[in-house]
Amino acid sequence: RDILRMVVDPIVMDGRKVTASGRIGIVASVDTKTESGETLRQAEAALRRASAKAPRSYVVHDRKHDALERARESLDFDLSQALGRQQLHLAYQPIVELASGSIIGAEALMRWRHPVRGELQPSTFVPAAERTGTIVQLDTWALQAALREAKSWPEDTLLAVNVSAVQFRQPDFVASVFTELAATGFPAGRLELEVTETVLMREGRETEETLQDLIAAGVRIALDDFGTGYSALAYLARLPHHRIKLDRVFVKDLANPATAGLIEAVVAAARDRDVMVTAEGVETTDQMEAVRRIGFTHAQGFATGAPSCSPAMVLPGSLPQAAV
Ligand code: C2E
Ligand code: CA
Ligand code: CA
């Protein structure tokens, strides 16, 4: 603390007051057997952690942090190898049209078969991939693989693919989508890209232009995890889209009349503009009844089909429709 105070104390230069900022990472090396190189490596890790903190703070780095840091580094490394080692695959979850009760398409969801940790869900690796930038390769692969696999699906079946905010902002994103569509011959009108609010939060013309370019080519746009971000109304009015997917936290809470009333208004407003509305995470028959009553156009959830690695299981004609 004393050292920090000395660093951040303002000094006078050329008659002007100058303030410096400082953060300190601390490693205690009491064990004389530890090599200096190892201590330096830990000190660097300590400094990295300190850099992420508020100015004027210090961080003590111990074995526990070191183990966490190493686990993270090893996950990052494994992830960078996962594509080349063919450890990724896609699961598909059916999208059900409520009016007809039929499956009209499926959403591709990424899975990672880790050699030691087994099958991993995106929540364990997508944030890491976004942090390191690996997500660009992963999302490019997911789109390619999904288009290739969906080519053999029945005609008119919709394919939904998730796009990370990082991927969406790549300058060549639109071009890469067109390239993949052309390479596979998959009709653009059957592809729906799912983007989250975080993508759209970024102000400016680029987001709008990206969406417009995709839409002009026939690609459909879904706003994913709707209701969980911030400026919903502002972008809803400004940015073109075909569907909103209401996050499952709201579906869980539909028994609450206040939530149900609010959601009903959102659904009505969307339908007025010819925007489709999917209820995510529909798990029970009660929830299914509620989303029907409220006027959702589509549903996705365990009640109508969990994600499956065999597309044949989720496509029209192959599922018992009792739940619907
Ligand atoms: P998401 O796009 O909102 O996908 C829906 C998630 O909810 C999936 O989790 C799905 O398995 C799960 N789910 C479906 N029905 C139910 C239900 O009835 N109850 C409950 N509790 N959960 C249900 P998953 O597959 O673990 O994916 C998590 C998230 O990871 C996705 O959320 C999406 O944001 C992201 N993700 C998945 N695949 C990709 C991808 O290829 N690229 C990118 N960038 N993100 C992906
Ligand atoms: Ca999604
Ligand atoms: Ca979602």
Side-chain angles (χ1 to χ4, degrees):
R1 243 181 261 125
D2 287 345
I3 296 173
L4 265 178
R5 202 171 302 128
M6 283 161 65
V7 171
V8 301
D9 258 356
I11 51 170
V12 177
M13 276 171 81
D14 286 342
R16 283 173 57 206
K17 207 160 107 182
V18 176
T19 356
S21 174
R23 296 174 182 82
I24 300 179
I26 303 168
V27 172
S29 186
V30 282
D31 165 6
T32 51
K33 288 198 280 303
T34 307
E35 283 182 25
S36 56
E38 173 60 17
T39 306
L40 278 173
R41 193 194 60 73
Q42 290 188 21
E44 270 166 21
L47 189 57
R48 258 199 311 281
R49 285 186 46 223
S51 304
K53 300 253 156 156
R56 302 185 181 200
S57 47
Y58 62 91
V59 160
V60 181
H61 194 73
D62 62 19
R63 268 179 211 288
K64 186 182 79 217
H65 298 114
D66 210 44
L68 277 175
E69 172 112 348
R70 276 169 185 247
R72 210 173 76 173
E73 277 167 11
S74 109
L75 186 81
D76 290 351
F77 177 75
D78 290 353
L79 195 53
S80 70
Q81 308 282 302
L83 254 187
R85 298 191 171 156
Q86 296 172 333
Q87 292 165 351
L88 295 169
H89 63 277
L90 296 171
Y92 293 92
Q93 181 175 39
I95 303 166
V96 170
E97 184 181 64
L98 289 168
S100 64
S102 49
I103 295 169
I104 53 111
E107 174 181 0
L109 295 161
M110 207 184 305
R111 299 288 179 263
W112 178 14
R113 215 165 273 143
H114 189 280
V116 179
R117 299 172 59 183
E119 176 135 321
L120 299 178
Q121 307 290 315
S123 59
T124 55
F125 63 89
V126 165
E130 287 180 325
R131 177 171 40 76
T132 59
T134 311
I135 194 71
V136 173
Q137 284 99 292
L138 298 192
D139 273 1
T140 303
W141 169 83
L143 180 65
Q144 255 167 14
L147 288 172
R148 231 181 298 123
E149 289 175 13
K151 251 214 103 177
S152 57
W153 292 1
E155 251 177 62
D156 301 335
T157 318
L158 192 74
L159 167 69
V161 180
N162 291 286
V163 178
S164 148
V166 178
Q167 170 76 336
F168 188 88
R169 286 177 197 143
Q170 295 301 306
D172 60 350
F173 172 62
V174 173
S176 76
V177 173
F178 294 168
T179 307
E180 295 311 331
L181 282 170
T184 52
F186 190 86
R190 282 172 52 198
L191 174 65
E192 191 162 286
L193 295 179
E194 299 197 356
V195 294
T196 57
E197 287 176 319
T198 23
V199 162
L200 309 165
M201 287 285 299
R202 184 175 270 198
E203 291 294 324
R205 295 224 26 93
E206 285 133 47
T207 305
E208 233 167 305
E209 273 169 20
T210 304
L211 292 176
Q212 253 141 15
D213 290 350
L214 291 165
I215 289 173
V219 176
R220 303 167 49 86
I221 301 293
L223 307 186
D224 206 352
D225 305 335
F226 185 78
T228 58
Y230 307 94
S231 63
L233 289 177
Y235 72 67
L236 213 50
R238 199 181 69 237
L239 298 169
H241 55 277
H242 302 92
R243 178 189 306 277
I244 60 182
K245 299 188 76 177
L246 198 85
D247 193 76
R248 68 166 174 268
V249 298
F250 301 104
V251 172
K252 261 208 179 84
D253 199 37
L254 281 181
N256 175 350
T259 304
L262 195 66
I263 298 309
E264 213 168 322
V266 171
V267 170
R271 295 193 67 167
D272 268 356
R273 295 177 298 127
D274 278 332
V275 168
M276 294 174 171
V277 237
T278 301
E280 295 197 285
V282 180
E283 294 180 351
T284 65
T285 41
D286 282 355
Q287 287 171 344
M288 194 55 139
E289 256 163 48
V291 301
R292 249 182 208 295
R293 183 168 24 85
I294 285 171
F296 279 90
T297 57
H298 296 83
Q300 251 182 281
F302 297 161
T304 49
S308 158
C309 292
S310 152
M313 290 298 294
V314 299
L315 293 174
S318 48
L319 260 197
Q321 305 278 299
V324 193

